[in-house]
Structures are given as structure tokens and as C-alpha cells.
Amino acid sequence: MFIINCPYCGEREQSEFKAGGEAHIVRPKQPTELSDDEWAEYLFMRKNIKGIQFERWNHTHGCRKWFNMVRDTSNDEIKAVYKMGEKPPVD
Amino acid sequence: MLNYNQALPEKKSFQDLQIEEIKPIMKLIIRGKKREFISAFGKALNILLPTESNTSTQSDKLTALWLSPDEWMLFSNKPIDENTNDYDTEKLLNNKISKINLGAITDVSDQFVMINLKGNKIYELFQTGSPFNFNNFQNKKGAVIQTILAKIGIIVHNQDKNIVNLFVRRSFSQHLFSWMNDAASRL
Amino acid sequence: MTKNLRLKTGKAIDETYRISFKFNGSTYYGFKGDTLASALLANDIHLIGRSFKYHRPRGIMTAGSEEPNAIVQLHNDSSRTEPNVRATEIEIYEGLEASSQNCWPSVNFDIGGINNLLSPLLPAGFYYKTFMWPASFWEKYEYFIRRSAGLGKSPTKPDPDIYEHKYIHCDVLIIGAGISGIMAAKIAAKNGLKTLLVEEKPNLGGSTIYQNSDHFKINNQNSGSWLEKEINEIKKLKNLEIKTRTSVAAFHGYNFLLARENLTDHLPMNQRNDKTRHKLLKIRAKKVITATGSIERPMIFDNNDRPGILLSSAIKKFADYFGVACGEKNILFTNNDSAYETAISLIQKGINIEAIIDNREEVNSKLIYEVEKNNIKIFKGYTVANTFGYKRINKISIMQLSKDGQKVVGPKIILSCDCLGVSGGWTPAVHLFTQSGGKLKFREDDQVFLPNIYPSDQLSIGACNGDFTLDEILRNTPKSLIKYLKIKNTDYDNLEVSSSTNKSKRNIWLLPSDKILGKTKSFVDYQNDATAKDIKLALREGFRSIEHVKRYTTTGMGTDQGKLGNMHALGIVSETAGAKMGELGTTTFRPPYTPLTFGTIVGRNVGEYFDIFRKTPIHDWHIDHKAEFENVGQWKRAWYYPKENENMHDAVQRESKAAREGAGILDASTLGKIDIQGTDASEFLNRIYTNAWSKLAVGKCRYGLMLNEDGMVYDDGVTTRLDENHYIMTTTTGGAANVMGKLEDYLQTEWPELDVYLTSVTDHFATVSVCGPNSKKIVSQVIPDLDLSDENFPHMSFKNAKIGNINCRVMRISFTGEHSYEINIQANYGKSVWEKCMEAGKDYNITPYGTETMHLLRAEKGFIIVGQDTDATMTPIDLQMDWIVSKKKYDFIGKRSLYRSDTIKENRKQLVGLLTDDPNEVLEEGAQIVADINKSPIEMLGHVTSSYYSPNLKKSIALGVVRGGKNMMGQKLIIPMEKKNINVIVADPVFLDKENKRLNA
Amino acid sequence: MKKKYSIFSLIRNAFSYHENWEKAWKDPTPKKEYDAVIVGGGGHGLATAYYLAKKHDMKNIAVVEKGWIGGGNTGRNTTIIRSNYLWDASAGLYDHALKIWEGLSQELNYNVMFSQRGVMNLAHNLQDVRDLKRRTHANRLNGIDAVYLNSEEVKKFCPIINTSPDIRYPVLGGTLQRRAGTARHDAVAWGYARGADEMGVDIIQNCEVKGIKRNGDVVEGLETTKGFIKTKKIGVVAAGHSSVIAEMAGLKLPLESKPLQALVSEPVKPIIDTVVMSNAVHAYVSQSDKGELVIGAGTDDYVSYSQKGSHDIVEGTLNAILELYPIFSRMRMLRQWGGIVDICPDASPIVSKTSVKGLYFNCGWGTGGFKATPGSGDLFAHTIANDEPHKLNTAFNINRFVSGDLVDEHGAAAVAH
């Protein structure tokens, strides 16, 4: 069970949060222009990284805000959290 | 005339712990991002919305709880008349906020049940079902947090030493109340 | 009558408090403070149970949680009985009943003992190699294998006890209250840290507390009495909480630990009533200090498992702590000094020691001299070659060890005994450390694994960190704590310590004997009967990784999780495979460290608290009127309202007729309601719904369909425009939370530029839906001032209204196809409004109906239910709802997916109506649909999603999805059931009132 | 040719104190080149190698495993085997596997202890009932033995289930597949390894793949910790680590690797002699031949390769267990562990060619791969040998995520285990 430092509420237990998968996959502005392959890339294909991954979390039982997290998926160590729209921290 | 049926008619007393619903309490969810919004709100009700996370502000009539950077709960300090749900505060805010698109005001008086807990066993009770660390919270008058108790989302407001207001959605309230009483009976 | 081996003194024993208990049916006595093990030993009982595979007689081997053999069935009654309880852990209490396990008919005469004779046929992994012929026979073999396996018996009735959880947040958690744990606790607490000290035993002080020898002194007091003073001091410290009988089970990441606080297991049965039995402590500690001590190692020699063979430290503890002699003719066998501590204790108490066998050639330490002074024969450079005695050891044979320790030499000497104490040195208890993700290093000189890399903010001190002698512990503990807690100094910085132990040790993982290995039974895992030769066999067969060896031989898979034998298994593997211990790596220790009962883990989340119970504001009324309830998500929804001796079918038929002919009333409060405000509200709806919203007039309602990005139908509901920038959206009951989450997600992460605010008001409103030809009359009585004329209040529109002084919202919308109104009012008035409607409807036969009737009515009208008529594979086109998919809109969630090569196919499964040839034949929901029954493999075109007998149409109707169904109107299809085939005709899904006369009536 | 295992060989070896058993498989050093290399020495990978050698006469092949064979999800799952899946494609795939299971011990001359004690799925709400009936009808028409049981019949088949109507989520019914059951997970890996080894397959343990060498759109070989291995065909069966290997080849897969936990109780005498699964109150349980209750928990919602999951998941599962089996309250959890499961958006696997010639993937089995082991190996071997899918795995191609022709198994037949 992680302790997650919500950028808005502070340190809370993992049970208050929900994971939202890989971060920085921007919804295409003009989906209709995309080929089936390009659309599938957006819809389904994931990096699924072993190591440092950028991902989305939601503080469902707190401020209800979505935010981003940098986590090492090989040992679950949380390296950083940052707000939506903010630039990901460079290491 | 319609009858008013509160969610938790029963008041419960245990050693060093009382639990009861306070009703009717006007509760509004206040939403807004713009700076003008904050000031407009302050002017309208001469109470400032708390901008620091996990805190609250209070006037003689109203209390405002921080819920998120753009969301607050405003509630009446005293019970209001059962026989009307016309709230002057809501009307006022609608005119000063919603109508001019500064933010949003939503009546949630019955969305949430306000449960008042009194006594020095409050946090012992919370410890049986909430992962939140109340160690510092207990000593911070006016502190507010949202967390889970018995797997149910709650808002907790530290009104004063060993006096706490707990807000829970109405449809969950009877389950939570029964759960709390069961736990309290063995503290 | 068995003899009494109780001594005068015993640190933990209260001789004034006698307790009677039962073991295998006969009554015995012990004292307060006894464990079942010490009490049995005091009664000279060594035979406790039978081993897992060979059913060999086994006794008590240890005095703690590492016990592999002495496990018993506790209690006889079917609800409280508990299998596999360690006799060494359970404190005796008035009413305790224990019995031996894994034996039949009795522990003394166990038929299963025959396995011991068959053992040559049962090497490691034998079952992989046989029981294969004839093929069909495996289940038959298995039947017997299963019965001979397993240890104790599961209860067969529910557990009467209560369990609870408790979340604890502290600055420092200290695990283990031995001497180093006590020191750490004092240091931490005195430095103002909120400290929690947990100890699995009922008393503090570990093994030092009963150390009473001049060889171990602190500041010139016996270490035991010095520690006693320290304990009395820390009990006074205010920010230190001490929990005894509390064992840490799991050490997870982020310093999250689970511990079990045992509250009643030691109490007399009659004092336990409605007390909480166990508390599961969920601990979050900023810092964790592990002081779990170490476990003495057995030694691996032929027949090292007989009752009467114990760890030497256990013999000492039974004598010093419980005042029990384990035997009258004791022999100790050791490769290090600690057995001599045991010897000295026994000598002090006048317990006879026959001899000491020490595999070391030269040994010189104060301890040994003292023992020799008491002219006890010490065989130096010797090993035990074999032991004898079936149900209790009665003699051993010893032989001299060759220089390299690989062979035995010289004559065999036979010594008789009734108890053999074994000491193979010590293994640090690093289990919790490794569980937490910690990495170990190997210390060659005494062959132990030690904490090396800490994965979180934690520290290991004392014996679990490799400090085995008193002086090491007292020297190193304060030092490392000063560093770890960043403090100046401690009370322990200049203690005077004297400790006589010499650290020399001769470690031989597998001791030689005069027999070839194949003939020996040298147990490595006692409980699972895994022997040294099994391990060698595994290696011979190519199982090289330690994990393979473990699994193939089942070493370390018992209830003790190999706390005793794992090191030896590793040792033997490394010796045989010629790999270095350190490089071989350890097998991972998996939680829990000590087994937890399911009940403890679950706590109070049982029975009515198993899951949340959501109720509508009108729930009580439904109860009072005998409604049956349906689970919808966490909600309890009224399902139907049976009258006297009405079954569900009758009730639903009655309710449905009434709703169409008179009036029906439904509690729709569970529907999700989301308040949407902001200048971009309309644009937001455009993006999330398939249809267009900008042109919806204020005061009007519209049905909306929501898709996933993959184009599949996700949720639906009616949304009403309350004001220019203000909407109220309804969602399905089950979908509410997810829809809210999904909308917030898009708003916050994809479209932050939109000025939109979402607030859930699901619980704020009670929703009373009145439908049927008389609904208007009824609502007009309940809300007299509201003009209900079609001109003023047409279908799909909304009005603000007042009932008395109470504002409410009334929507004229319909899920039944009837003229109907939804009154949305603040929840606390909901029940009252419902009653008013019932009152007003009396003369119109207003009939409350539940979800089942609602489903029937909407099916007559061809309205879908998301989740019933759709699964995650249906697009709106598939549902023949093309009309709701805006062609004009540039984009909405899921739009792009509707134009993928598969989703545009013509012959996808499409929603259609189905009519049976026989109007009384009601199809089964879920039944499959085919065109050609003789085709093979048979081709399934789809399935029946909804099916009812319609009392209003006087025939059965059904909805289903059929491949290419759109173009099959009027075609015959077949529903193949087990016993018959049912003919159906594909029909329009709207069965009733296609012209919407009723809606607008 | 290896010596046959049998009761007689046991007796014979007993006389020589089991000193003369031969190695179950060799421990070779990798050759310079192979006709095909299978990445991943789990059940699926070893089975693939076995069938490549046996049915497609490819003998010069290797299995490379970064740890020890069977040490991944093969050795960490709850060994449930069934084929009562909803969609034709899935039913075909899993029943193909089930048919092989039925003769596997004999085929491998290794007792995999396949025990057809039946698998029961419970329904706790009306939609469960519809879904299970839908699935049962589909199974029947697909020739898969499955029957629907009402709650009395459920009780009769497994008396210890709490079928009282007063519990929070009463048991409304269930389905039963009698041919389904469990097997001994380690034995499957070891049996296939022994069989493959016998036909000349090199099983190379402690050999981690570090890179995949491509020449344009054609594979040329693998970089491993034991050096470069040349080959024209690479079959990746790396379960949780599939995306990691894919990345080496410059591919992305529609996978997320998540923690899946399981636990066993202390061993007790027989108390439940079938497998019971419940999706609505997430719990499934069986009893091993050793006597342990084997209990599967759910997956966490985040990606992780740590082989650890959160306690809430385990606690939630045991809540459900006690709801259905209150008698287990005093049973003790002996061991708890985690695996890494690779999950596709439609909860169905990928057994497919890729855009890179000679690179094949077998992954996405999520929480339910063990049951498919023999079938998966057989079909993947076919796909690799012929560079074309078998008709039974055509539907499980990677391209379905582009076309949208998903095989959505969590839609109706949610229990993926």
C-alpha cells in the first residue's frame, strides 16, 4: 500500500486513490483524420514500462482531482507527483 | 404540507462518545476558479473561502470547508426551518456568482447527512475503519479532510477539541451509522 | 500416571494458579504462564503428533513460533475448532482441549505410520512419476492422497468470535521486546518520538529476561535482573505504547505493517464472551526498528526428528522460564558455545546431563570450563551418527568426525538418553526484513544472512542483525540508534558488560554418518518430511535453482515456512552444487511471517458489514409494504411488491397492467444525477453524448447515449436543461459513479479550457415517478398549482414547482411509454411525496411497482437497458439507434471508433425484437439464437437479452441481438434449448404504441 | 531416449536408493544459431517448444528463460482449468487446451495431476444469472459440457457454500463444468521441459534477453546475457514482461502488466472438493491435494513489475471468501504472493504474428493463462512453424485492436480466471 502525496491534499493512503494508467497520451484533436492504425495506437497501445513510468492518478476519496505521478514500476517507488498540465519533472 | 424525514432519527450515546445527526442544515457546494469569484463570494457573505488545503473558515452564521482548489462546502452553523427549502444564502450566491458565470452553486443539503460526534473516543472510533492519520488533525481546530471510513467516503470537520462534524452521502448514512455504533459499542 | 517434571522455580510460572486442560481426551494440569508445550512436557508428554508424509511420531522441538512438529487441533466443537495450532505458542487456559493431528485412529497407533515403511518408494517428487496408469484412475488415487494429506481439520460451523481492525500511525515501530528492542524503545521514546513496541510473547524481555548466570553481567548485575529494571522504567514512558501478544505478520512497502494483537486466546472460555478476539493492527510507521532476534539451528543427522529431540535453547527456556525439565537423562549436541549456557542452567537446577557432544575439536571458553568443573563428559570432535526410539528417543550413537568433517571415523559409542538438545548455531530472523524488500548479505565466518540494503526507512538491531552475544548487542545497539535516529547520546553509551561466550563454531550443514545417505533419514524440513537425500535427489535430477529444489522436495512449504530448515537446505545445495552460499541467494520469505486467520484479516467486514448498503429515502416504505429487493450495485431496489401468496410472476403481471390501465408509481431515486453548470455546459454535453445539445431549449429534456472511446455504448439517461448554463444529467443506477469519474477525467485532463462544473446530487433528490393514464390526475392533486396541460407541460419538458413550501423539479419523461411524471424533491421530503401520491392515487388504483415491472414495461416499448441489452460490444448503430448519432457533430467520445473496419460491418449483431410462434412461450434470457439447427459447427447468431410475458399485449415478447438482424425483419429463427427448439420471428423491437399515443395522451 | 517414469521405475530405483535417476533436463550452453528461439520458460513457452519439436519436427530450437523455468506465473497461479467461455473463439481455444489436458500426463509421462473436480461459477444478481445462462447456452451449442444450477443444486454440489437468501449478495444460481478442474502447476512446466529436452530442445535458464536484432522488418537474432543467438524465428511468451521484449523490437502492445495476488491457507483435511468461482463478490477457491485452500485474489489497478500487490486486494478477497464460506474464518493464511499479469483491453490473449517477420507474440493471457497452457503452446507452435495462425487462434491476432473485432470476455463471461 503506497503513501501518495496528493499535490492538493498532501500525503494520503493509497486506498483514497484510483490509478488511471499511462500519462501524457493526449486525445487526438482531429480523430477523424486518423487512420485505423493511428486511432488504435491512441486507444489501446501502451508503453507498459518496466522502470520509470509517467502515469495518472485520481484522488477519488479526496479532492477528486486527477494528477500525474512518476513511479518506478519495478519496485513501486514513487519518484514525484505533479499537477495536470504541469511539465513532468526531469529526473 | 410535506413531512420531513431525516436519515438518522436515532441519537446514540456511548461512554465518552455521542453520535447524532444535526438537521436540517443548509449545505451548498461552491465551485469556482476565477479570482473575482473568491472576492465576489467574500463580499456577498462576508466570509472568505479558505484557500489553504484541508482548512475551513467560519462566520457567525456559516462555515466554509475546503474540498479542493475549486470546490468548497458551505453550511449553516445552526439548523434551519424544516418547512422550507428556500435559502437566502443560496439565492444571494446564485445572483452574485452563478448568474454572472463566476462559478457554480449547488444545493446539497440532503445529498449529505451531517453527523456530529462528541467525546474523547472519536478518533479511536475512526481508527477502527479509516486509514487517515488523525494524529495532527485532532489538535487542529477547523481542520477539514476527506477520506474513507468503513469504505465510505466522508468529510470530517474538526469543529473543536473532541467535537467533530462528519458529512456522508445520505444513501450511505444508515449503513455508516450502524457500523459506527457497532464499533463504538466495543471501544 | 505420568511423572511430574516440574521444577521449583520458573520465571513465567505462577504456581499458585493451577489450570486443568485436556490433551487427546485425558485431563492434565499446568500453571498460569504455561504454554501447552511446557505444560505437556511437565507431564512428561513428548509424543504430540504425526508428520505430514511419513506419519512419523513427532514431539516438541522448540519453544516458539518456529515450531514445526508440535501442532495440534484446538477445541472440539465444530465452530471454534482450530487446526495446526502450535503447542509452543498457545497459553493454557481453563477449558483448553487439544488433540493430535494427522493420525488415525490415534497418535499412539497411526495406520498412516505404514508410509514410514514405504518411504523408500516415496522419494521427493514420487507423485510426478507415477499414478498415471490407467489414465482414468488419477482421481481415484487422488482421493486417497488427499485424505492422507492435510494436517488438522477445518471448522464446519461459522466462527462465533469477533475481530476488529485498528489503523495506527506512529513515528517509530519496534518489533520485538528482547533486550535490544527494549533499549531501542527507551531511546526512541525518550527522544520524543511516538513509539510503538510490539512483542509476540505475553511478556517482555526475550531470552535475556531469564538469563541468570554470573557469566552474563551488565553493570555488575545479572543481565536478567538489569533488563527487568529497564522494562519497569520504559513502562512509565508516556509516548511509548507497548503491545504484548502482538505478532507482526507482514512488512509491506512504505513501512506498512500488519500485526495481530491477540486479546482473548489466553483467557478461560467463560471470560471471552463478546470480547474482540483479535485486532488486526494496520501500522504506518515513519521508522521501523526490527529486533526480532534469532532462531537456533537444529543439526542434520540420521533420525534427527524423534520426540525428545529439542533445540538446546528450547530446553534452557523450558527450564529457566517455565520451570520444566524436558528429560531426566539429557544429552546436548552442539557446534558452538550456546549449548553450554543450557548446560549451566540445567546444572543450576540439578537436572541431570549425561554428556555433551561437541563437533568442535578444540574448544575453550569460560562456559565450557564451568561445565567441565561439574564433571560432565564432553565428547569433543564427535557427531551424533544416529538416534533410536520410536515414540521417544532412548539412545543415540555417536562417532568421531574426520578432520574435514566429511566422514565419521573410529568406533561407534552408544549413549542412552531421554532427551537430546541440539544447537547448530543461530539464524538471524530476517524474514520481515526480506518481506519488506530488503536485500541480504552473507557472513562467511558463522554462515548467516544479514540485512544489507534497506528498501525503506528501517533498521535491524540485535541478533536479527547478527549480534549474537550480549556484549555485541550492548555495544552496537546504542551506536546504530544514535546514527539512525540522529541523536546525540543514549543512556546506554557506557555500560559495563561481561559475557563469556566464545564465538567459535564448526558449521557442517549435513553431518556424516556410517550409513550411505540413501539409507538415512536426516530431516531438513521436519513437518513436510523433506530429508537431505531428497535435496540431493532433486539436484541429481537437474533441479538446480533453490526455488526448484524447494518446490520439488516441498522444503520450507510447511506451516513453519522452513524457519528451522531453510538454511540447511541452502547449505546442502551449495555444498552439492559447489556454489557459494552468498551467490546462491535465499528463497524469498512470503508473508505472513506467522499465519493469520482469515477472520483476523477480515475483521468486522462480515455479515451486514460485508458490503455497503445503500438505501433510498423511501426505503422504509418499501419495507413496510413487503417489497422484495434486488441488488443493483450497492443499492437495494424494490424489485416487486407481492400481495398475499403472490409469486413474482403474478405480482409483476398485476403491477404492469395497473401501470398501463390505472397508474403506477416507481422509486427512481437510485438513478445517478449530476448537476452540470458553466458557460460551456452545452459544448461539454456535445462532446460526451452522441447527439447534439446546443439547440435544446431551456426547460426541455433529452435522452442521451454515452459511448466509450472504443465506440461501445457506456451509459444512457435523460438530461434536462434547467437554465442557459445549467443542466441536470441522469445516469443509470449502476453507472453513476463511473460516469461521474469519466466526465471529471475528460474535463480535468482533456478539456481543462471548458468552463464546466460537475456536482453529484444523486443523494440530494428523491425521485418519484408516477406513470399511467391517470398520472396527470394524481400529480395535479399533489401539485395543484402546476399547470399540467400538454400545451404548458408537454412530453420531454420540465417545470419547477412547489409542494407546500418545498421546491421541487418535475420532469415529464417516461421510461415506460406511458404518460408520466418524475417528481424530484429534496431527499428528506421524498417519503412524504411518495405517500401523498399514493393517497392521491387511491381512486385510480395507483400501484407501486418495482424494477422487474419497470423492465417489462420498457421492453414492451422497446427501450434498452444498458448492461442488459448491451454488453461491451454494442455500438449505437448495432442498437438500431442511428437516429441518436449526430452526423453533423465533428467529434464526440467514441465517434472515431464507429468507423473502424469492423464496426462499420453490415452484419454485426444488432438489436431486434423477437416474437415466439406460441404467444405463451416465454423465452429464457440468455438463450442463444440460430438460423440453421442442422449446421455444424452450429452458428450462433446472437442471444435473447430481455424476455417477458406482456400482460398488456397478452403475449410473450423479447429483445435480442442477432447478427445482421437489421435486415431480418419477419424472418424465422430458432432458439435451441436443452429439450426443445423454439421458433421465433424477428420483429420490430417496439411492441407497443409505436405512435407514442400514450406518451402524449 | 529417457527412461520411462512408472511405479516400476520407482521400485527399481528404490533398490539403488534413488542414486541413479537421470536429469529431467540438461543444462546446455546456447549454440550460435537455432531455427527458432522461444523467449520465456514458463508453461506456455515450454509447451510451444515441445510441440514445435513434436508436431513440426523443429528440433534445433531453444527456450531462453531469464530466471528458472516455471518460476513466473506458471508457478504462481491458482491452477484453475476450464473451457466454459462465452465467445466461440475463446471456447474453441480453451476447449482445445482442455482436450489436451485430459491426456497430458500420459503424453508427457509426467503426472501433471489434472483433476477434473469441476468448476462452478456463481451468480449473485439478476444480470449474473442472465450472463451465466447466456454462457451456458453458448457452451452447450459449442459442445462444451456446462450446466446451469439453481441455488439448491449449487448447495448440493458444494454444501459448504453459504446459500442463505439473507446474505448481502445471495447465491441465485451458478454454472458447472464437470470436465474442468485443477492441475499441478510445477509439474506442467517440468513435464513439458523434460519432454522437450528429450527431443533435443535446449532449455537455457538464467539467460535474459537484452535485445532483439532486426534487419529491416526481419528478425536476425537475440542479444542475451549468454551472448548473441542467431535465429530467424523468435516466439515471445514472456507474460508480464511481453511489453519489455516488444520494446526491444520496437513494437508497442495493447497490454498493461498488473499485480495479481494469490494465497494459500494452512493444509487441512479435505473440506471442498471442487473449484468455486464468484465474480460479483470477487472470490475463488479450491483445495490442493496437499490440503491447502488455494485462493485467488484480484488485480490492482496500476502497472507494476514488483510482484507485490496491495493488501486491500487480499483483504477484499478474504471478505468475499468469508461471506460465502463463513466456516473458514478460523483457517489461517499460510502464504501470500504476487504475479505480474499482462492484460489486454478485451481480456483475451494475443497469439499472433507481428509486423516484424519472424517475430511472434503469445501474451495477454491476463489472469487466466494457466488453463490454456497446452492449447496455447500447440497453436503458437503451429503459428511459428507455418508463419500462419491455426484457425483456432486466428481471432486472437494483434490486428483486432485496429479493426475493432475484439473478443470481449469481460463483457459477459467476466470471470477471466
Side-chain angles (χ1 to χ4, degrees), chain D residues 51-67:
Chain D
Y51 291 112
L52 273 173
K54 188 168 187 235
K55 297 171 91 175
H56 306 283
D57 199 42
M58 292 178 70
K59 307 280 194 223
N60 179 32
I61 59 177
V63 176
V64 293
E65 163 58 44
K66 78 174 187 315

Side-chain angles (χ1 to χ4, degrees), chain B residues 45-50 55-65 74-78 141-142 157-160 165:
Chain B
L45 297 174
N46 61 60
I47 167 177
L48 282 177
L49 288 173
T55 63
S56 64
T57 52
Q58 203 164 41
S59 70
D60 54 346
K61 283 199 180 55
L62 300 166
T63 304
L65 310 180
L74 185 72
F75 67 90
S76 60
N77 296 339
K78 299 251 164 319
K141 183 173 178 186
H157 169 228
N158 181 340
Q159 187 184 330
D160 209 334
N165 295 315

Side-chain angles (χ1 to χ4, degrees), chain A residues 1-3 13 27 30-36 39 42-43 56 64-66 76-78 84, chain C residues 169 253-254 256 284 709 740 744-746 748-750 758 890-893 896-897 899-901:
Chain A
M1 304 290 295
F2 312 158
I3 292 183
E13 291 278 339
R27 187 171 188 275
Q30 303 175 311
T32 37
E33 316 298 314
L34 301 182
S35 70
D36 281 6
W39 182 245
Y42 162 72
L43 257 192
R56 300 152 16 95
R64 299 197 293 127
K65 289 290 176 228
W66 282 91
D76 291 336
E77 193 185 319
I78 297 172
M84 280 295 161
Chain C
H169 301 261
Y254 293 79
F256 178 65
R284 275 287 183 192
E709 277 299 7
M740 181 71 179
E744 275 291 348
D745 188 352
Y746 277 95
Q748 291 180 34
T749 64
E750 298 295 346
L758 307 174
Y890 178 70
D891 188 19
F892 55 82
I893 295 174
R896 176 59 184 84
S897 290
Y899 304 99
R900 293 174 295 173
S901 61

Side-chain angles (χ1 to χ4, degrees), chain C residues 469-727:
Chain C
T469 63
L470 190 64
D471 46 345
E472 284 175 324
I473 293 172
L474 279 96
R475 197 167 353 99
N476 297 341
T477 305
K479 276 208 209 106
S480 44
L481 283 169
I482 284 174
K483 206 150 141 277
Y484 181 60
L485 299 178
K486 303 185 181 59
I487 50 174
K488 295 252 163 326
N489 51 18
T490 77
D491 301 5
Y492 306 117
D493 294 348
N494 13 16
L495 293 172
E496 262 174 55
V497 189
S498 72
S499 155
S500 305
T501 334
N502 170 319
K503 287 169 72 183
S504 83
K505 169 178 176 186
R506 188 184 189 188
N507 189 72
I508 302 170
W509 292 116
L510 172 56
L511 291 158
S513 93
D514 52 333
K515 287 195 227 152
I516 68 159
L517 186 66
K519 290 190 185 175
T520 63
K521 278 208 181 66
S522 311
F523 289 92
V524 175
D525 184 311
Y526 298 84
Q527 192 179 96
N528 281 347
D529 287 330
T531 62
K533 65 181 176 205
D534 290 324
I535 291 177
K536 297 213 172 206
L537 172 63
L539 290 159
R540 207 175 297 128
E541 294 195 75
F543 296 87
R544 308 185 79 256
S545 125
I546 182 67
E547 280 293 341
H548 275 164
V549 173
K550 255 184 78 175
R551 285 158 175 268
Y552 194 64
T553 61
T554 72
T555 302
M557 301 291 209
T559 62
D560 58 319
Q561 297 206 38
K563 292 190 178 78
L564 291 183
N566 274 359
M567 282 302 291
H568 303 80
L570 269 171
I572 294 167
V573 169
S574 69
E575 273 172 7
T576 318
K580 292 194 105 204
M581 277 292 265
E583 292 146 17
L584 210 56
T586 51
T587 66
T588 47
F589 298 102
R590 287 163 170 166
Y593 175 58
T594 45
L596 284 172
T597 67
F598 293 178
T600 310
I601 295 169
V602 168
R604 283 167 58 225
N605 305 332
V606 291
E608 69 170 302
Y609 301 126
F610 164 64
D611 190 20
I612 296 159
F613 201 121
R614 294 182 73 178
K615 297 177 184 171
T616 77
I618 307 165
H619 189 85
D620 295 347
W621 191 95
H622 306 318
I623 300 252
D624 298 343
H625 294 76
K626 310 275 177 299
E628 292 290 328
F629 288 87
E630 172 192 7
N631 284 314
V632 183
Q634 290 173 319
W635 288 97
K636 288 281 179 187
R637 292 198 74 176
W639 189 14
Y640 59 97
Y641 303 78
K643 296 230 166 102
E644 276 78 58
N645 52 54
E646 240 184 1
N647 61 20
M648 172 161 140
H649 179 263
D650 305 340
V652 170
Q653 294 292 309
R654 173 180 47 79
E655 292 172 14
S656 321
K657 267 180 96 57
R660 294 232 187 266
E661 289 166 10
I665 181 169
L666 172 82
D667 178 359
S669 306
T670 61
L671 290 181
K673 304 170 207 72
I674 301 173
D675 184 74
I676 304 175
Q677 298 185 47
T679 48
D680 295 319
S682 306
E683 170 59 17
F684 181 64
L685 291 174
N686 279 334
R687 297 187 189 185
I688 54 156
Y689 275 132
T690 59
N691 47 347
W693 290 80
S694 314
K695 296 203 176 57
L696 182 68
V698 173
K700 294 292 181 195
C701 316
R702 179 169 289 168
Y703 173 80
L705 204 54
M706 212 181 281
L707 311 184
N708 264 329
E709 277 299 7
D710 69 358
M712 304 304 154
V713 172
Y714 180 72
D715 202 78
D716 68 344
V718 170
T719 294
T720 302
R721 189 165 200 170
L722 302 170
D723 204 338
E724 180 58 25
N725 299 321
H726 191 183
Y727 291 83

Side-chain angles (χ1 to χ4, degrees), chain D residues 140-378:
Chain D
R140 178 170 46 83
L141 295 172
N142 273 320
I144 291 167
D145 67 307
V147 288
Y148 186 84
L149 309 177
N150 61 31
S151 62
E152 292 74 37
E153 296 166 312
V154 166
K155 184 80 180 169
K156 201 152 155 292
F157 189 72
C158 183
I160 64 170
I161 297 179
N162 178 7
T163 52
S164 146
D166 314 327
I167 66 176
R168 181 69 178 82
Y169 296 102
V171 174
L172 304 180
T175 62
L176 171 62
Q177 183 181 23
R178 290 180 189 278
R179 280 165 65 231
T182 60
R184 172 79 190 143
H185 50 17
D186 292 330
V188 179
W190 299 342
Y192 271 118
R194 179 166 170 269
D197 177 90
E198 185 173 5
M199 292 182 286
V201 175
D202 281 355
I203 295 164
I204 304 160
Q205 302 187 73
N206 302 308
C207 177
E208 184 172 1
V209 173
K210 287 291 177 189
I212 290 179
K213 189 145 179 282
R214 282 173 57 168
N215 177 355
D217 279 349
V218 185
V219 295
E220 289 190 325
L222 304 144
E223 291 297 348
T224 77
T225 48
K226 294 190 174 182
F228 179 75
I229 301 175
K230 193 161 183 275
T231 183
K232 290 193 172 48
K233 289 175 181 256
I234 301 174
V236 182
V237 203
H241 283 78
S242 302
S243 300
V244 178
I245 307 288
E247 204 267 336
M248 297 174 185
L251 297 178
K252 247 199 215 173
L253 296 171
L255 293 175
E256 285 196 305
S257 297
K258 296 184 172 176
L260 174 69
Q261 298 179 86
L263 60 104
V264 295
S265 75
E266 295 184 346
V268 288
K269 295 292 173 191
I271 180 78
I272 171 170
D273 61 4
T274 184
V275 184
V276 185
M277 316 173 68
S278 165
N279 194 49
V281 303
H282 188 107
Y284 58 102
V285 61
S286 65
Q287 186 174 18
S288 72
D289 286 347
K290 201 164 174 260
E292 300 158 326
L293 295 177
V294 182
I295 294 169
T299 53
D300 276 290
D301 59 357
Y302 53 88
V303 166
S304 179
Y305 292 81
S306 67
Q307 293 196 329
K308 294 197 173 70
S310 52
H311 170 72
D312 283 2
I313 298 283
V314 168
E315 185 178 307
T317 297
L318 289 174
N319 290 2
I321 291 287
L322 292 198
E323 169 81 346
L324 290 177
Y325 314 90
I327 68 167
F328 287 155
S329 174
R330 294 175 100 87
M331 293 288 289
R332 285 194 221 86
M333 172 161 94
L334 173 58
R335 249 190 334 273
Q336 163 203 342
W337 65 92
I340 312 164
V341 294
D342 45 322
I343 305 171
C344 279
D346 59 355
S348 287
I350 293 168
V351 184
S352 174
K353 300 164 64 171
T354 67
S355 52
V356 180
K357 177 123 181 71
L359 183 61
Y360 309 83
F361 269 88
N362 180 349
C363 57
W365 292 96
T367 57
F370 178 74
K371 67 173 75 71
T373 307
S376 158
D378 183 30

